[in-house]
Amino acid sequence: MREFVIVTDSCCDLPEDYIKNNNIPYVPLTYRFKGKEYLDDFGVSLNYRDFYEGMKNGEIPQTSQANPDAFYKVFEPILKEGKDIIYVGVSSGLSGTHNSSNIAKEMLEDEYKEAKIAIIDVLTASLGQGLMIIKALEMKEKGSSFEEIVNYLEDTKMYLNTYITVNDLNHLKRGGRISSAAALFGTVLHIKPVLTLNNEGRVIPVIKVKGRKNAIGKLAEFVHNKLENPEEQIITICHGDAQSEAERLRELILKEVNVKDVIINHIGPVVGTFGEPGALSVFFIGKHRQNHVIDIDI
């Protein structure tokens, strides 16, 4: 049986130590911040706090998807060693990076006829994507085959739940998610939307909540209602420089369920550009992912 390697991209937002300790190859996306271009490299080139502080002061970052050449440079050395690849990548509904990975795959499969390259579009990003990498590595460690891991990821991704709340409705307005009138009205009334990623991996509003405290409580409620087999599950929480609120969310979740582990980390710069300072997200495997709006009238 050929060896295989789990590969990802920098949108997974796993802790840098986890990436290093598990020798996970990754394709970095890039972003431009304060006139300088950076690799998205898990906070090494630019500290997360400095990034979010800049955004709070009005800096607007610009991101670039990974191109096929970036994938070629990461994939090709692995194939040269006679190993196959399972790439666990950011949602195709959020980034053209997925398309770049497929172009690189086609190029390399022409050169390496025996190679297998599986492209897994997890239809989410950040630590939801990271959670799937953790699962894949656990399975590999236990001796699961290439095909078993690929099948698990493809089957499970539709049960990978993503719930997000943001502080600033004006950021959603700039991204075209809500109208200017809705942003003004919601800001005056302290409305905080809860968002999810649907079956196409695209962001949709789910429900409106009044006040940040209630929004965080709603995230915990979604976990309580949709999590299955909690003792076997890892929950991941990520935040846009809102560590204390991420820890509060963990406390609320653990009041009702006992889980295998809870991992908290920052949202990285590329994903954070589309989130905002104060964004808070939770990811878990449970009932089928939400694909519809409960209440969008803001």
Side-chain angles (χ1 to χ4, degrees):
M1 186 192 309
R2 284 168 60 97
E3 289 186 53
F4 60 93
V5 177
I6 309 295
V7 180
T8 189
D9 59 64
S10 61
C11 290
C12 69
D13 290 344
L14 284 163
E16 182 204 357
D17 286 349
Y18 186 89
I19 294 291
K20 281 186 175 179
N21 293 340
N22 289 279
N23 298 312
I24 303 171
Y26 71 93
V27 177
L29 279 74
T30 59
Y31 63 99
R32 192 165 185 81
F33 187 73
K34 294 185 176 181
K36 182 179 177 180
E37 188 165 287
Y38 292 90
L39 288 178
D40 190 19
D41 56 6
F42 307 100
V44 174
S45 297
L46 180 66
N47 181 277
Y48 291 132
R49 292 189 184 280
D50 290 342
F51 173 78
Y52 283 108
E53 193 61 33
M55 286 188 74
K56 289 173 188 175
N57 292 328
E59 190 71 27
I60 301 175
Q62 296 175 311
T63 66
S64 298
Q65 68 189 47
N67 61 34
D69 185 59
F71 279 94
Y72 191 98
K73 288 176 179 176
V74 173
F75 286 178
E76 205 258 351
I78 297 169
L79 301 180
K80 259 189 176 179
E81 294 177 356
K83 299 175 183 178
D84 295 325
I85 293 170
I86 299 175
Y87 163 62
V88 182
V90 63
S91 172
S92 59
L94 299 176
S95 174
T97 295
H98 175 76
N99 186 51
S100 294
S101 71
N102 276 304
I103 293 171
K105 173 186 174 178
E106 291 175 7
M107 292 167 59
L108 286 162
E109 285 178 338
D110 283 342
E111 297 179 45
Y112 296 87
K113 303 296 186 183
E114 302 300 316
K116 290 188 290 187
I117 305 172
I119 306 291
I120 310 295
D121 176 3
V122 295
L123 301 174
T124 189
S126 196
L127 277 182
Q129 180 182 344
L131 180 55
M132 296 294 265
I133 295 159
I134 291 168
K135 290 285 188 180
L137 289 172
E138 285 181 347
M139 291 181 70
K140 184 183 178 190
E141 183 69 23
K142 292 176 181 177
S144 296
S145 68
F146 181 99
E147 288 76 15
E148 287 169 337
I149 294 174
V150 169
N151 290 337
Y152 171 84
L153 295 174
E154 289 290 1
D155 291 343
T156 303
K157 70 185 185 184
M158 302 313 297
Y159 300 90
L160 175 57
N161 285 264
T162 299
Y163 288 98
I164 310 157
T165 190
V166 296
N167 247 341
D168 186 359
L169 289 172
N170 287 309
H171 197 84
L172 291 178
K173 178 192 74 174
R174 287 194 297 271
R177 303 296 180 189
I178 61 175
S179 68
S180 296
L184 176 61
F185 181 69
T187 299
V188 170
L189 295 181
H190 304 290
I191 296 298
K192 306 297 181 185
V194 175
L195 316 169
T196 193
L197 272 79
N198 64 10
N199 290 350
E200 290 75 47
R202 299 182 184 279
V203 176
I204 60 168
V206 175
I207 193 169
K208 67 177 186 285
V209 182
K210 190 167 185 180
R212 177 73 165 181
K213 182 178 178 181
N214 289 333
I216 294 172
K218 182 59 68 175
L219 294 183
E221 184 180 317
F222 276 118
V223 177
H224 297 155
N225 291 340
K226 298 196 71 180
L227 185 67
E228 296 190 329
N229 303 314
E231 292 81 8
E232 302 173 12
Q233 301 300 339
I234 296 171
I235 292 173
T236 56
I237 297 170
C238 60
H239 61 91
D241 201 25
Q243 181 74 32
S244 62
E245 291 179 317
E247 291 173 357
R248 175 58 179 157
L249 176 57
R250 173 173 59 188
E251 290 173 6
L252 290 173
I253 291 169
L254 295 180
K255 277 185 178 181
E256 299 288 336
V257 293
N258 294 315
V259 298
K260 183 177 175 182
D261 195 11
V262 179
I263 297 171
I264 297 177
N265 199 35
H266 279 84
I267 302 171
V270 166
V271 179
T273 295
F274 300 96
E276 54 135 10
L280 188 62
S281 305
V282 63
F283 308 89
F284 59 94
I285 295 168
K287 296 176 183 176
H288 198 284
R289 68 165 64 201
Q290 191 131 355
N291 196 43
H292 63 280
V293 175
I294 297 173
D295 182 357
I296 189 177
D297 187 20
I298 64 171

